[in-house]
Amino acid sequence: MKNIIALFLMALLSLNAYAESDNLKIFSKKDKEREIVFDLDGETITITRKRTKCSPINGWIQERIPAPGVTPVAEFEVIASMKDKNSILVDMRNEDHYLEGTIPTSVHIPFTEVSFRLDELGCTKENEKWNCSKAKEVYGYCNGPACPQSSIAMKRMIKNGFPANKLYYYRGGIMTWKNLGFTVSSPY
């Protein structure tokens, strides 16, 4: 019995050590501190971020609007975009994440490729520059609020001529979609 208790205590301590050593960045890739500390009415408040089963992403929390002109959206707008012929829902995650399941009707264009595949979004290439005057409205997402992939993709798209006002950012991504119990489809 003593051995079982000792094993249990060791396991509990190792889990606690893992959790404490697994503080994640909060708001920036450049964060050195992995906590926010402030004083409120004489009490010190410390905010940390740890990896959990519900939040396995080790990126950093993304801004609600990744670039000026981009519109943040939630699940209602994402579902509406699925039925809109002038819109395209783009899964901007890496291939390995995409293969684990995607939001139905999504087109997969990895964040590293989207800025030079703008033709798939209604743009045309003219004299080595993109003309996106007839581009579709793009609803982009990645793994969730701590995933920078779709934010990075949208910034690159804008830099290459895609109009920011035709970009819609689903910051919740696949993580929120799954946590809310919505349908996830197999990509193949």
Side-chain angles (χ1 to χ4, degrees), residues 20-38 45-50 58-61:
E20 288 178 15
S21 68
D22 202 19
N23 281 358
L24 301 173
K25 293 180 181 180
I26 298 176
F27 292 118
S28 167
K29 182 178 185 177
K30 298 173 187 173
D31 278 347
K32 291 188 171 107
E33 299 297 323
R34 296 182 180 239
E35 62 185 21
I36 298 169
V37 180
F38 58 94
I45 307 294
T46 303
I47 305 295
T48 61
R49 184 171 161 254
K50 298 186 184 302
N58 64 354
W60 55 95
I61 304 301

Short mmCIF file of all heavy atoms in Angstrom, two decimals, residues 20-38 45-50 58-61:
data_model
loop_
_atom_site.label_atom_id
_atom_site.label_comp_id
_atom_site.label_asym_id
_atom_site.label_seq_id
_atom_site.Cartn_x
_atom_site.Cartn_y
_atom_site.Cartn_z
N GLU A 20 3.87 23.40 -14.39
CA GLU A 20 4.56 24.63 -14.05
C GLU A 20 5.66 24.97 -15.05
O GLU A 20 5.93 26.12 -15.31
CB GLU A 20 5.15 24.53 -12.64
CG GLU A 20 4.09 24.59 -11.56
CD GLU A 20 4.68 24.45 -10.18
OE1 GLU A 20 5.90 24.58 -10.02
OE2 GLU A 20 3.89 24.19 -9.26
N SER A 21 6.29 23.97 -15.62
CA SER A 21 7.37 24.23 -16.57
C SER A 21 6.84 24.47 -17.97
O SER A 21 7.59 24.80 -18.86
CB SER A 21 8.35 23.05 -16.57
OG SER A 21 7.72 21.91 -17.14
N ASP A 22 5.55 24.31 -18.15
CA ASP A 22 4.99 24.43 -19.48
C ASP A 22 4.21 25.73 -19.67
O ASP A 22 3.19 25.75 -20.33
CB ASP A 22 4.10 23.22 -19.76
CG ASP A 22 3.92 22.99 -21.25
OD1 ASP A 22 4.72 23.49 -22.05
OD2 ASP A 22 2.96 22.30 -21.61
N ASN A 23 4.68 26.81 -19.04
CA ASN A 23 4.05 28.10 -19.27
C ASN A 23 4.29 28.50 -20.72
O ASN A 23 5.39 28.39 -21.24
CB ASN A 23 4.63 29.17 -18.34
CG ASN A 23 4.04 29.09 -16.96
OD1 ASN A 23 3.18 28.27 -16.68
ND2 ASN A 23 4.51 29.97 -16.09
N LEU A 24 3.23 28.98 -21.36
CA LEU A 24 3.29 29.35 -22.76
C LEU A 24 3.35 30.86 -22.91
O LEU A 24 2.96 31.61 -22.03
CB LEU A 24 2.05 28.82 -23.48
CG LEU A 24 1.86 27.30 -23.42
CD1 LEU A 24 0.51 26.93 -24.01
CD2 LEU A 24 2.98 26.59 -24.14
N LYS A 25 3.80 31.30 -24.08
CA LYS A 25 3.80 32.73 -24.38
C LYS A 25 2.36 33.20 -24.41
O LYS A 25 1.45 32.45 -24.75
CB LYS A 25 4.47 32.97 -25.73
CG LYS A 25 5.95 32.66 -25.69
CD LYS A 25 6.60 32.89 -27.02
CE LYS A 25 8.07 32.53 -26.92
NZ LYS A 25 8.77 32.74 -28.16
N ILE A 26 2.17 34.46 -24.07
CA ILE A 26 0.80 34.96 -23.98
C ILE A 26 0.42 35.79 -25.20
O ILE A 26 -0.46 35.40 -25.97
CB ILE A 26 0.59 35.75 -22.66
CG1 ILE A 26 0.82 34.80 -21.48
CG2 ILE A 26 -0.82 36.35 -22.61
CD1 ILE A 26 0.73 35.44 -20.11
N PHE A 27 1.05 36.94 -25.41
CA PHE A 27 0.59 37.85 -26.45
C PHE A 27 1.55 38.10 -27.60
O PHE A 27 1.22 38.83 -28.51
CB PHE A 27 0.22 39.20 -25.84
CG PHE A 27 -0.99 39.14 -24.96
CD1 PHE A 27 -0.90 39.45 -23.62
CD2 PHE A 27 -2.22 38.75 -25.46
CE1 PHE A 27 -2.01 39.40 -22.80
CE2 PHE A 27 -3.33 38.68 -24.66
CZ PHE A 27 -3.23 39.01 -23.32
N SER A 28 2.74 37.56 -27.58
CA SER A 28 3.67 37.89 -28.64
C SER A 28 4.71 36.79 -28.80
O SER A 28 5.13 36.18 -27.83
CB SER A 28 4.38 39.21 -28.31
OG SER A 28 5.47 39.41 -29.15
N LYS A 29 5.12 36.60 -30.03
CA LYS A 29 6.19 35.65 -30.31
C LYS A 29 7.47 36.07 -29.59
O LYS A 29 8.29 35.24 -29.22
CB LYS A 29 6.43 35.59 -31.82
CG LYS A 29 7.48 34.62 -32.26
CD LYS A 29 7.62 34.62 -33.77
CE LYS A 29 8.58 33.54 -34.21
NZ LYS A 29 8.67 33.46 -35.66
N LYS A 30 7.62 37.37 -29.36
CA LYS A 30 8.84 37.91 -28.76
C LYS A 30 8.79 37.93 -27.23
O LYS A 30 9.77 38.30 -26.60
CB LYS A 30 9.07 39.33 -29.28
CG LYS A 30 9.27 39.36 -30.79
CD LYS A 30 9.33 40.78 -31.29
CE LYS A 30 9.37 40.77 -32.81
NZ LYS A 30 9.27 42.09 -33.37
N ASP A 31 7.65 37.55 -26.64
CA ASP A 31 7.54 37.58 -25.17
C ASP A 31 8.65 36.77 -24.53
O ASP A 31 8.88 35.62 -24.88
CB ASP A 31 6.21 36.97 -24.70
CG ASP A 31 5.06 37.94 -24.76
OD1 ASP A 31 5.32 39.13 -24.93
OD2 ASP A 31 3.92 37.47 -24.63
N LYS A 32 9.32 37.39 -23.59
CA LYS A 32 10.29 36.65 -22.79
C LYS A 32 9.62 36.21 -21.50
O LYS A 32 9.85 35.13 -20.99
CB LYS A 32 11.52 37.52 -22.51
CG LYS A 32 12.32 37.76 -23.78
CD LYS A 32 13.63 38.46 -23.48
CE LYS A 32 14.47 38.46 -24.72
NZ LYS A 32 14.63 39.65 -25.41
N GLU A 33 8.77 37.08 -20.98
CA GLU A 33 8.03 36.75 -19.77
C GLU A 33 6.80 35.93 -20.18
O GLU A 33 6.15 36.24 -21.15
CB GLU A 33 7.59 38.02 -19.05
CG GLU A 33 8.74 38.89 -18.61
CD GLU A 33 9.65 38.21 -17.59
OE1 GLU A 33 9.14 37.46 -16.74
OE2 GLU A 33 10.86 38.43 -17.67
N ARG A 34 6.52 34.94 -19.42
CA ARG A 34 5.38 34.09 -19.72
C ARG A 34 4.28 34.26 -18.67
O ARG A 34 3.55 33.34 -18.39
CB ARG A 34 5.83 32.65 -19.84
CG ARG A 34 6.78 32.51 -21.04
CD ARG A 34 7.22 31.12 -21.25
NE ARG A 34 8.11 31.10 -22.39
CZ ARG A 34 7.89 30.38 -23.48
NH1 ARG A 34 6.85 29.62 -23.58
NH2 ARG A 34 8.76 30.40 -24.46
N GLU A 35 4.24 35.49 -18.12
CA GLU A 35 3.18 35.80 -17.18
C GLU A 35 2.94 37.31 -17.20
O GLU A 35 3.80 38.08 -17.61
CB GLU A 35 3.52 35.33 -15.77
CG GLU A 35 4.75 35.98 -15.18
CD GLU A 35 5.13 35.40 -13.81
OE1 GLU A 35 4.71 34.28 -13.49
OE2 GLU A 35 5.83 36.10 -13.07
N ILE A 36 1.75 37.68 -16.79
CA ILE A 36 1.40 39.08 -16.65
C ILE A 36 1.12 39.29 -15.18
O ILE A 36 0.31 38.57 -14.59
CB ILE A 36 0.15 39.42 -17.49
CG1 ILE A 36 0.45 39.18 -18.98
CG2 ILE A 36 -0.30 40.86 -17.24
CD1 ILE A 36 -0.77 39.23 -19.86
N VAL A 37 1.81 40.24 -14.58
CA VAL A 37 1.67 40.51 -13.15
C VAL A 37 1.26 41.96 -12.98
O VAL A 37 1.85 42.85 -13.58
CB VAL A 37 2.99 40.24 -12.38
CG1 VAL A 37 2.82 40.51 -10.90
CG2 VAL A 37 3.46 38.81 -12.62
N PHE A 38 0.21 42.18 -12.17
CA PHE A 38 -0.20 43.54 -11.89
C PHE A 38 -0.78 43.62 -10.48
O PHE A 38 -1.11 42.60 -9.87
CB PHE A 38 -1.19 44.07 -12.94
CG PHE A 38 -2.44 43.26 -13.09
CD1 PHE A 38 -3.60 43.59 -12.39
CD2 PHE A 38 -2.47 42.16 -13.94
CE1 PHE A 38 -4.75 42.84 -12.53
CE2 PHE A 38 -3.63 41.41 -14.09
CZ PHE A 38 -4.77 41.75 -13.39
N ILE A 45 -1.82 40.21 -8.76
CA ILE A 45 -2.53 39.27 -9.63
C ILE A 45 -1.53 38.77 -10.67
O ILE A 45 -0.84 39.57 -11.31
CB ILE A 45 -3.72 39.95 -10.35
CG1 ILE A 45 -4.65 40.66 -9.36
CG2 ILE A 45 -4.45 38.97 -11.24
CD1 ILE A 45 -5.37 39.75 -8.41
N THR A 46 -1.45 37.46 -10.85
CA THR A 46 -0.56 36.86 -11.83
C THR A 46 -1.39 36.04 -12.82
O THR A 46 -2.16 35.17 -12.41
CB THR A 46 0.48 35.95 -11.15
OG1 THR A 46 1.20 36.73 -10.19
CG2 THR A 46 1.46 35.37 -12.17
N ILE A 47 -1.22 36.34 -14.09
CA ILE A 47 -1.90 35.61 -15.16
C ILE A 47 -0.84 34.82 -15.92
O ILE A 47 0.15 35.37 -16.39
CB ILE A 47 -2.62 36.56 -16.14
CG1 ILE A 47 -3.59 37.48 -15.40
CG2 ILE A 47 -3.29 35.79 -17.26
CD1 ILE A 47 -4.76 36.80 -14.75
N THR A 48 -1.04 33.51 -16.02
CA THR A 48 -0.16 32.65 -16.82
C THR A 48 -1.02 31.90 -17.83
O THR A 48 -2.25 31.93 -17.76
CB THR A 48 0.60 31.64 -15.94
OG1 THR A 48 -0.35 30.81 -15.27
CG2 THR A 48 1.50 32.33 -14.94
N ARG A 49 -0.36 31.25 -18.74
CA ARG A 49 -1.05 30.43 -19.73
C ARG A 49 -0.34 29.10 -19.80
O ARG A 49 0.87 29.03 -19.99
CB ARG A 49 -1.01 31.12 -21.10
CG ARG A 49 -1.76 30.41 -22.15
CD ARG A 49 -1.87 31.24 -23.43
NE ARG A 49 -2.19 30.32 -24.48
CZ ARG A 49 -1.34 29.92 -25.42
NH1 ARG A 49 -0.16 30.45 -25.50
NH2 ARG A 49 -1.70 29.03 -26.30
N LYS A 50 -1.08 28.01 -19.60
CA LYS A 50 -0.51 26.67 -19.62
C LYS A 50 -1.19 25.82 -20.68
O LYS A 50 -2.36 26.01 -20.99
CB LYS A 50 -0.68 26.01 -18.24
CG LYS A 50 0.04 26.75 -17.13
CD LYS A 50 -0.04 26.00 -15.83
CE LYS A 50 0.58 26.76 -14.69
NZ LYS A 50 1.95 27.12 -14.85
N ASN A 58 0.59 25.82 -28.74
CA ASN A 58 1.65 26.51 -28.02
C ASN A 58 2.06 27.82 -28.66
O ASN A 58 3.10 28.36 -28.36
CB ASN A 58 2.87 25.60 -27.82
CG ASN A 58 3.51 25.22 -29.13
OD1 ASN A 58 3.01 25.54 -30.19
ND2 ASN A 58 4.63 24.54 -29.07
N GLY A 59 1.26 28.36 -29.54
CA GLY A 59 1.53 29.67 -30.13
C GLY A 59 1.25 30.76 -29.12
O GLY A 59 1.31 30.53 -27.91
N TRP A 60 0.94 31.95 -29.59
CA TRP A 60 0.64 33.06 -28.71
C TRP A 60 -0.71 33.62 -29.10
O TRP A 60 -1.17 33.46 -30.22
CB TRP A 60 1.74 34.11 -28.75
CG TRP A 60 2.03 34.60 -30.13
CD1 TRP A 60 1.50 35.71 -30.73
CD2 TRP A 60 2.87 33.99 -31.12
NE1 TRP A 60 1.96 35.82 -32.02
CE2 TRP A 60 2.81 34.77 -32.28
CE3 TRP A 60 3.66 32.84 -31.14
CZ2 TRP A 60 3.51 34.46 -33.44
CZ3 TRP A 60 4.36 32.54 -32.29
CH2 TRP A 60 4.28 33.35 -33.42
N ILE A 61 -1.38 34.28 -28.17
CA ILE A 61 -2.73 34.79 -28.40
C ILE A 61 -2.71 35.84 -29.52
O ILE A 61 -1.93 36.78 -29.48
CB ILE A 61 -3.33 35.38 -27.11
CG1 ILE A 61 -3.32 34.35 -25.99
CG2 ILE A 61 -4.74 35.92 -27.35
CD1 ILE A 61 -4.06 33.07 -26.26
#
